[in-house]
């Protein structure tokens, strides 16, 4: 009996000791985590990016890298300076469906301010209800893009603004005919005179006015902007860890850098689906360089939670899906990596930036929490009264 009691006592003491050790270990881990988060919060909200932890970058990303932060001042082209009158004219034209052949489709049809300046559709409807072939990119912060469209076929907003007008699937018009229609509208005379000094309507002036308006479509101050400016308590712990993961383990900074959250380059992330009915050759259609097959422009991430669905083909409907796609390194289907186009064999060479990250469910949620801090509340934009 004494032996049994002795063993019970020993067992009790051993369990108590182990529980105490475990409790101490857990408490230590909690303290260390709290200390780590407190230090990260202090560094990232310091207002001084030089104090931030060093980002994890691939060597290939370094030439295109600049630190994330606030949006810089917009650089205006010398041949198209800003004026309020020109922006107002551009806004009016942006909303005017008479630029289209059917008089039914305006720029604002696919770029709705209430829908993040896109239309939240996989593909947009155009002339005769035709579907487009790519997802309509948001034009929020488009002034910071060095080239336009998913394939970069336009080098400036002035060049871009007339392309949807003449696209058969979109507005199916002709910029010269569109200019002629606008010139016949008496109410436009005063707008052109205020914007350009006289009443003359031309395709060049229409392009410049729309481009001027589009450069005004810029994000306001986001939660991220407030946090890095010193409002340390505005971020939750998950949002803070998401920011840190974005710059380190998740390696998002390889492509999504600068205040625009894009390196303005073109990357192949393995979504071109070559050899299938849904194939898209991407930038190759512009450059005819086989190395560009399947490459698309890296979009900026500001307002990303408002501008889905995502990818050039609108194939992803949640941010969680997008993050998991990159976490798994996009294991492409081998049969969808090559095609023959106009007698030329093309292959999809996925970027080395896209590789297995193996993020945990918690890290995925933290990254999404951070990405949502890059968005701002929608501003109410009143459509202008169209001239008659």
């Amino acid at each position: 009996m004494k032996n049994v009691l002795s063993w019970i006592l020993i067992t009790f003491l051993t369990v108590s000791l182990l529980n105490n050790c475990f409790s101490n270990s857990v408490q230590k881990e909690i303290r260390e985590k709290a200390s780590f988060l407190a230090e990260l919060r202090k560094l990232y909200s310091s207002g001084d990016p030089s104090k931030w932890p060093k980002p994890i970058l691939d060597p290939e990303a370094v030439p295109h890298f600049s630190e994330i932060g606030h949006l810089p001042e917009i650089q205006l082209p010398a041949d198209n300076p800003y004026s309020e009158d020109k922006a107002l004219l551009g806004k009016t034209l942006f909303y005017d469906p008479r630029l289209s052949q059917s008089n039914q489709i305006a720029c604002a049809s696919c770029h709705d301010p209430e829908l993040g300046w896109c239309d939240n559709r996989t593909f947009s409807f155009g002339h005769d209800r035709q579907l487009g072939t790519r997802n309509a990119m948001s034009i929020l912060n488009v002034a910071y893009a060095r080239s336009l469209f998913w394939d970069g076929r336009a080098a400036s907003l002035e060049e871009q603004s007339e392309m949807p007008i003449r696209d058969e699937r979109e507005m199916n018009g002709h910029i010269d005919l569109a200019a002629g229609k606008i010139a016949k509208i008496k109410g436009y005379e005063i707008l052109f005179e205020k914007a350009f000094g006289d009443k003359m309507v031309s395709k060049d002036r229409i392009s410049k006015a729309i481009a001027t308006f589009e450069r005004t479509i810029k994000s306001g101050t986001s939660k991220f902007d407030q946090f890095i400016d010193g409002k340390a308590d505005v971020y939750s712990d998950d949002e803070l860890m998401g920011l840190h993961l974005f710059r380190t383990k998740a390696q998002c900074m390889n492509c999504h850098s600068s205040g625009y959250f894009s390196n303005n380059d073109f990357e192949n992330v393995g979504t071109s689906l070559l050899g299938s009915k849904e194939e898209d050759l991407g930038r190759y259609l512009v450059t005819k360089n086989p190395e560009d097959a399947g490459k698309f422009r890296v979009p900026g991430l500001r307002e990303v939670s408002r501008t889905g669905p995502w990818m050039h083909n609108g194939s992803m409907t949640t941010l969680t899906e997008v993050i998991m796609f990159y976490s798994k390194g996009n294991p492409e289907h081998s049969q969808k990596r090559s095609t023959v186009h106009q007698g030329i064999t093309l292959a999809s060479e996925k970027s080395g930036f896209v590789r297995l990250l193996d993020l945990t469910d918690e890290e995925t949620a933290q990254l999404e929490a951070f990405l949502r801090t890059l968005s701002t509340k929608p501003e109410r934009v009143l459509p202008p009264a169209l001239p008659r």
Side-chain angles (χ1 to χ4, degrees):
M1 186 67 179
K2 288 183 178 180
N3 288 337
V4 172
L5 290 174
S6 296
W7 278 110
I8 292 174
L9 180 60
I10 291 170
T11 302
F12 174 76
L13 292 173
T14 301
V15 170
S16 297
L17 181 61
L18 289 173
N19 281 338
N20 190 48
C21 290
F22 179 73
S23 178
N24 288 338
S25 176
V26 170
Q27 290 298 322
K28 181 181 178 183
E29 184 178 336
I30 291 173
R31 287 195 300 272
E32 288 176 348
K33 182 179 179 180
S35 177
F36 176 67
L37 287 171
E39 182 64 15
L40 284 184
R41 191 176 296 277
K42 177 183 175 183
L43 295 175
Y44 280 122
S45 66
S46 66
D48 183 359
S50 68
K51 295 180 179 178
W52 295 1
K54 188 177 180 180
I56 295 178
L57 297 169
D58 284 15
E60 297 81 6
V62 174
H64 301 279
F65 174 77
S66 62
E67 186 59 83
I68 58 174
H70 299 299
L71 285 168
E73 289 295 316
I74 293 172
Q75 300 299 309
L76 301 173
D79 64 344
N80 191 21
Y82 174 82
S83 76
E84 287 188 14
D85 289 321
K86 196 190 300 179
L88 175 59
L89 171 61
K91 179 180 180 180
T92 306
L93 291 164
F94 187 88
Y95 277 88
D96 199 329
R98 290 170 292 188
L99 287 174
S100 69
Q101 186 189 81
S102 66
N103 295 326
Q104 297 295 317
I105 303 168
C107 304
S109 299
C110 298
H111 301 286
D112 188 331
E114 294 185 17
L115 301 175
W117 291 94
C118 53
D119 61 4
N120 298 152
R121 300 183 61 86
T122 302
F123 300 118
S124 302
F125 285 114
H127 185 72
D128 282 343
R129 300 296 284 176
Q130 294 180 90
L131 279 178
T133 57
R134 290 177 182 157
N135 179 257
M137 301 182 88
S138 171
I139 58 170
L140 264 163
N141 303 311
V142 73
Y144 299 98
R146 294 184 195 141
S147 60
L148 288 307
F149 298 104
W150 282 104
D151 55 18
R153 63 184 179 273
S156 70
L157 279 172
E158 286 75 12
E159 185 180 348
Q160 176 274 333
S161 61
E162 70 173 68
M163 288 185 174
I165 297 173
R166 64 173 186 250
D167 189 289
E168 292 181 359
R169 286 178 177 267
E170 295 187 56
M171 299 169 77
N172 195 37
H174 188 290
I175 187 63
D176 291 321
L177 295 178
K181 288 166 69 175
I182 296 300
K184 293 177 182 178
I185 300 171
K186 191 75 175 175
Y188 265 113
E189 291 181 356
I190 186 65
L191 294 177
F192 274 87
E193 186 171 15
K194 286 183 176 181
F196 293 103
D198 60 61
K199 300 175 182 178
M200 186 186 75
V201 176
S202 69
K203 63 180 182 181
D204 179 66
R205 287 183 170 185
I206 289 174
S207 296
K208 285 183 174 179
I210 292 175
T212 298
F213 168 64
E214 289 180 332
R215 288 191 177 96
T216 69
I217 302 170
K218 179 181 175 182
S219 291
T221 301
S222 68
K223 197 173 183 180
F224 165 75
D225 294 311
Q226 296 176 50
F227 177 70
I228 64 172
D229 270 349
K231 292 187 177 180
D233 295 334
V234 76
Y235 258 15
S236 68
D237 286 348
D238 280 343
E239 290 165 345
L240 173 61
M241 274 305 301
L243 165 59
H244 188 58
L245 286 165
F246 185 92
R247 300 182 68 257
T248 54
K249 179 182 177 180
Q251 295 188 282
C252 308
M253 297 281 280
N254 277 330
C255 296
H256 296 285
S257 57
S258 81
Y260 179 45
F261 282 80
S262 170
N263 61 6
N264 265 306
D265 203 1
F266 298 86
E267 297 293 345
N268 184 341
V269 299
T271 56
S272 54
L273 303 176
L274 300 189
S276 72
K277 290 181 181 179
E278 296 82 22
E279 79 171 16
D280 191 327
L281 303 181
R283 184 136 176 85
Y284 171 81
L285 297 173
V286 177
T287 66
K288 304 304 179 184
N289 181 353
E291 293 182 1
D292 287 337
K295 285 187 176 181
F296 297 94
R297 183 162 71 84
V298 176
L301 295 183
R302 282 183 178 268
E303 312 294 343
V304 68
S305 66
R306 299 170 54 199
T307 56
W310 298 274
M311 302 297 182
H312 76 276
N313 53 6
S315 59
M316 299 190 188
T317 58
T318 68
L319 282 178
T320 301
E321 186 180 3
V322 175
I323 296 168
M324 291 299 296
F325 168 87
Y326 287 109
S327 177
K328 294 176 180 178
N330 182 22
E332 293 177 279
H333 297 292
S334 59
Q335 69 270 28
K336 295 182 180 179
R337 296 184 190 174
S338 65
T339 192
V340 177
H341 177 74
Q342 297 179 348
I344 300 173
T345 299
L346 299 172
S348 172
E349 298 293 337
K350 188 174 67 176
S351 169
F353 294 152
V354 183
R355 56 181 180 269
L356 184 66
L357 298 172
D358 205 19
L359 299 172
T360 66
D361 290 345
E362 181 183 31
E363 289 170 334
T364 297
Q366 289 170 336
L367 263 177
E368 180 170 345
F370 163 66
L371 289 174
R372 291 186 179 280
T373 71
L374 301 179
S375 295
T376 57
K377 291 182 179 179
E379 290 185 37
R380 189 181 181 196
V381 178
L382 295 176
L386 297 182
R388 297 294 173 188

